[in-house]
Amino acid sequence: KQWYQRRVAITAGDDTEINVLEAGEDQKNELLLDNTSTRNKIIDELYELSAFLSSRQEELSRHSESILSEIPDCPPEIQTTQLENVEKMASVVEIPLNKLTNEKMRHLLLLKSSEKYIDRLTDSMHSQLRLCDKMEDSIEEMKQRIRDAERTYEEVEPKLQRAIDTTKSLKSCVETELSKKYKGRPVRIMGDINTL
């Protein structure tokens, strides 16, 4: 068995990157996150470190006054500096931890390692595309129905206007005839006919 010397590089900037560099005959770079057990160990270690820093931060903020009273020559700036350093370390640990455990990373790892996941994703995308095509056909059908309804309205509207005019003139004639029968008293027909 040949053993390689390993150097781990962790960059916690905007693009968190964890690489294992092996020095050997082939000098190859491999992504440390490809190995599930190693990735889980790193995440576990980051969680453990985060928990430790959180408890240390709480401890420093809770006991700062009692510690200062025990050490009479200790300036207060030292205790504040320690707390600030722990807070900075905690925020630095949170960056790669959040990036390693977020949904985007999970999807990327599944894309890289699982053909079944890629097949499911592909099927889902094809299904969405078919649904989009159906929706586009549906939209075209609705546009056609709207055009048909507008055309029908344009054809019916003059007939409707003639019917309204005829109804109004008939109403006027009936009111006049009824007025004559009742010795010239004004007669008004009430109801929906007046809303035309």
Side-chain angles (χ1 to χ4, degrees):
K1 226 179 189 182
Q2 186 175 10
W3 294 91
Y4 294 103
Q5 202 177 24
R6 290 187 173 214
R7 181 169 53 96
V8 177
I10 300 176
T11 308
D14 286 341
D15 299 320
T16 302
E17 190 178 312
I18 301 174
N19 288 322
V20 174
L21 305 175
E22 295 189 20
E25 291 178 12
D26 353 358
Q27 287 273 334
K28 65 176 186 176
N29 287 343
E30 67 178 31
L31 188 62
L32 187 63
L33 298 177
D34 288 344
N35 186 329
T36 306
S37 64
T38 308
R39 180 177 61 248
N40 289 339
K41 284 179 186 177
I42 290 172
I43 291 171
D44 289 345
E45 292 293 328
L46 287 171
Y47 272 127
E48 190 174 330
L49 183 57
S50 178
F52 169 76
L53 289 172
S54 294
S55 67
R56 183 73 179 131
Q57 193 174 351
E58 184 180 326
E59 182 182 305
L60 284 172
S61 62
R62 196 168 7 127
H63 298 298
S64 63
E65 294 169 9
S66 62
I67 291 172
L68 288 175
S69 64
E70 291 175 12
I71 307 172
D73 296 335
C74 180
E77 295 83 23
I78 291 176
Q79 191 63 32
T80 310
T81 306
Q82 282 184 342
L83 183 59
E84 288 173 359
N85 286 341
V86 171
E87 287 172 350
K88 285 178 186 175
M89 285 187 260
S91 65
V92 167
V93 168
E94 285 300 314
I95 293 170
L97 184 58
N98 289 337
K99 288 189 178 188
L100 287 173
T101 56
N102 68 12
E103 195 68 17
K104 182 181 175 184
M105 179 61 79
R106 189 181 74 78
H107 285 300
L108 290 173
L109 291 170
L110 281 171
L111 281 171
K112 188 169 185 175
S113 63
S114 173
E115 287 187 32
K116 287 181 181 178
Y117 181 75
I118 293 172
D119 291 342
R120 275 198 321 267
L121 203 56
T122 305
D123 291 343
S124 173
M125 290 176 76
H126 285 300
S127 173
Q128 293 294 328
L129 286 172
R130 284 192 296 274
L131 188 61
C132 284
D133 291 341
K134 282 183 182 179
M135 287 298 161
E136 285 177 0
D137 293 343
S138 223
I139 289 170
E140 281 304 314
E141 185 180 327
M142 290 305 292
K143 284 181 180 177
Q144 185 59 43
R145 285 185 183 179
I146 289 170
R147 285 192 292 269
D148 292 345
E150 287 173 346
R151 195 171 27 257
T152 303
Y153 176 76
E154 288 171 1
E155 291 171 3
V156 170
E157 200 233 346
K159 294 176 186 175
L160 180 63
Q161 191 57 49
R162 279 197 304 272
I164 289 171
D165 293 342
T166 304
T167 304
K168 284 181 180 178
S169 69
L170 282 174
K171 175 189 170 249
S172 179
C173 287
V174 169
E175 286 174 345
T176 305
E177 288 301 317
L178 285 174
S179 179
K180 287 179 187 175
K181 292 203 183 244
Y182 291 103
K183 300 177 187 175
R185 288 199 303 205
V187 174
R188 300 277 178 245
I189 297 175
M190 306 299 286
D192 290 340
I193 197 166
N194 291 314
T195 60
L196 295 174

